Amino acid sequence: MGLCQSSPAAGGDSPTKWEAGSLEEKITLEFPEMGLRGEFAKEYRLEQVLGQGAFSTVREGIRISDGSKFAVKCVTKSALSSDDHDALLDEIDILRTMKHKGIITLEGHYEDSQFHYLVLECMTGGELFDRIVARQYYNEKDARDCVLSILDALNYIHSNKIAHRDLKPENLLLRSEADDTDVKIADFGFAKKCSSSKCLKTQCGTPGYVAPEILKGRKYDYAADMWSMGVIMYIIIGGYPPFHEANQKELFRKIKEGEFEFHPEFWKSISDDAKDLITRCLTVSPDSRITCAQALNHGWITKSDRALSLVNLDKNLAEFKRFNAKRKFKSGVHAVIASNKMKSLMNALKEASMENEGEKS
């Protein structure tokens, strides 16, 4: 999940709202068969946990009729504020309209008294970044092909007047293990329709990927996604992020000022076209920033496969592996914290159950 805060100065990731809702509702997230009702329970069986967010748990879902696998996002209703609920309905509405090979598919939406269930296409290939670092060799053509897949899907999103607002590595998934370029954009939890230019004002996104206009509290539109795209491109080619500071205040300062550089150690052999496209994405003024449609026609994207394949990125790949390991470790720490909170809830329920049995006897 990304950061959604009331002001750009607020620090840290978005809070995990375990405190909301009854104990029974929280335990049902761990053992959903205890609380499933309605049509969803008739059609799907929930299996292992695939991920956890502030308001939801993503589980593997099996369609009972044919055994097909899906990813089911189980959203706790009681944990949602009125605005959160509206955002969820926006996400569902947007996903229903998205029909593109590079965008995760919403197979269905169900709800009961406690949960919303979003049945999503199951992505078995894992995260794009994990697949890249597993490579034995890497060149500019490999990097360009990944970027092209993402840009093609993002251009479709923008052509439908929608801003994703949380583009980051965790939301770039591979459909299967068979193709490293079959990338799909996932998690439309912050996505919003843009009725006009600069019509959005909610400060949301993820530190390191969020656009400067959002941090400055200015109205914005889907140009903010192109900033995030620039950060992702920088990492895919260079192997590390353009903006990286342990101190979040300093990180946000650098982003707002567009303060980054192409370090010769990793960028000396990279084509000027690649650096130009990144620079045009990481342009502080959204009015001067390159659009997705323009990016698809940029010289680096249209450059010949042969020319790009001659630029070896093995050294950058080694740096990429270090960056990705740190990213995964940080993500794992957050998951452990959430898991420990859930285990505490489970222990509380078991103790309460034992006490009740004791009283009955």
Side-chain angles (χ1 to χ4, degrees):
M1 302 293 288
L3 174 73
C4 192
Q5 55 191 34
S6 58
S7 70
D13 296 331
S14 58
T16 302
K17 296 189 177 179
W18 293 108
E19 65 274 18
S22 69
L23 181 60
E24 289 79 7
E25 288 173 341
K26 296 163 185 170
I27 299 307
T28 302
L29 280 176
E30 185 65 22
F31 292 101
E33 63 274 12
M34 295 170 61
L36 284 179
R37 297 182 297 280
E39 290 302 312
F40 178 80
K42 296 177 183 177
E43 297 185 29
Y44 294 91
R45 180 178 74 254
L46 292 177
E47 301 286 346
Q48 62 180 322
V49 174
L50 302 177
Q52 291 179 321
F55 313 111
S56 64
T57 295
V58 179
R59 286 183 172 271
E60 181 181 75
I62 308 297
R63 188 159 58 197
I64 297 170
S65 63
D66 60 7
S68 296
K69 293 183 179 181
F70 298 90
V72 181
K73 185 175 181 180
C74 309
V75 184
T76 308
K77 287 184 173 181
S78 62
L80 302 177
S81 66
S82 177
D83 287 343
D84 293 331
H85 185 261
D86 289 344
L88 176 64
L89 295 182
D90 283 343
E91 177 183 4
I92 294 168
D93 183 51
I94 287 170
L95 280 172
R96 279 174 173 162
T97 66
M98 295 287 97
K99 306 296 180 185
H100 188 278
K101 65 179 182 178
I103 298 171
I104 196 166
T105 301
L106 176 67
E107 298 288 341
H109 167 237
Y110 303 78
E111 63 176 301
D112 58 27
S113 61
Q114 293 180 325
F115 301 101
H116 284 280
Y117 305 97
L118 279 64
V119 183
L120 300 160
E121 176 182 10
C122 191
M123 306 295 290
T124 61
E127 293 181 14
L128 170 63
F129 278 24
D130 291 343
R131 183 71 65 82
I132 291 176
V133 299
R135 286 175 172 270
Q136 297 300 313
Y137 56 90
Y138 191 50
N139 58 48
E140 257 195 62
K141 178 188 176 300
D142 298 324
R144 190 277 309 275
D145 290 348
C146 290
V147 170
L148 176 57
S149 294
I150 303 167
L151 283 175
D152 187 53
L154 187 60
N155 187 53
Y156 173 84
I157 295 170
H158 289 178
S159 68
N160 281 277
K161 307 297 183 183
I162 293 169
H164 185 278
R165 304 202 296 180
D166 197 22
L167 288 177
K168 58 182 178 180
E170 292 83 354
N171 293 336
L172 301 174
L173 307 177
L174 291 164
R175 188 178 65 82
S176 71
E177 297 180 357
D179 187 349
D180 289 3
T181 62
D182 193 1
V183 187
K184 288 180 180 276
I185 298 175
D187 196 344
F188 281 70
F190 286 155
K192 195 74 174 177
K193 292 181 179 178
C194 295
S195 56
S196 60
S197 176
K198 294 184 176 62
C199 64
L200 304 176
K201 58 183 180 180
T202 302
Q203 291 174 297
C204 60
T206 296
Y209 300 88
V210 65
E213 59 267 30
I214 295 178
L215 294 178
K216 293 175 181 178
R218 297 174 182 171
K219 289 187 176 182
Y220 62 95
D221 51 34
Y222 31 77
D225 286 342
M226 290 308 295
W227 177 278
S228 303
M229 192 66 221
V231 175
I232 290 167
M233 286 176 55
Y234 188 105
I235 298 170
I236 287 176
I237 300 170
Y240 61 98
F243 308 101
H244 50 97
E245 288 289 337
N247 182 287
Q248 188 164 275
K249 184 177 180 180
E250 179 63 11
L251 171 68
F252 286 169
R253 183 195 66 78
K254 286 189 173 183
I255 291 172
K256 287 187 285 188
E257 295 179 8
E259 187 180 309
F260 75 96
E261 61 180 302
F262 297 109
H263 304 94
E265 181 182 0
F266 299 103
W267 292 89
K268 184 177 180 181
S269 63
I270 304 299
S271 64
D272 289 339
D273 282 337
K275 288 180 277 192
D276 179 71
L277 180 53
I278 290 171
T279 300
R280 295 182 67 183
C281 286
L282 297 181
T283 297
V284 172
S285 169
D287 294 330
S288 301
R289 196 174 302 150
I290 194 170
T291 67
C292 204
Q294 291 170 341
L296 283 169
N297 291 309
H298 189 273
W300 186 65
I301 296 297
T302 60
K303 202 166 188 176
S304 73
D305 292 354
R306 188 177 186 282
L308 291 175
S309 64
L310 294 175
V311 183
N312 186 290
L313 298 180
D314 286 352
K315 183 177 181 180
N316 294 23
L317 182 59
E319 188 68 14
F320 203 153
K321 290 179 179 179
R322 284 190 283 271
F323 161 73
N324 201 55
K326 292 178 182 177
R327 181 181 70 87
K328 299 297 284 189
F329 175 77
K330 183 178 180 181
S331 176
V333 168
H334 291 161
V336 167
I337 292 172
S339 176
N340 286 340
K341 289 182 178 179
M342 179 57 73
K343 288 177 181 177
S344 296
L345 290 168
M346 290 303 304
N347 290 334
L349 181 63
K350 288 177 181 177
E351 289 175 6
S353 177
M354 291 173 65
E355 288 174 2
N356 289 336
E357 289 299 320
E359 290 175 0
K360 289 179 182 179
S361 62

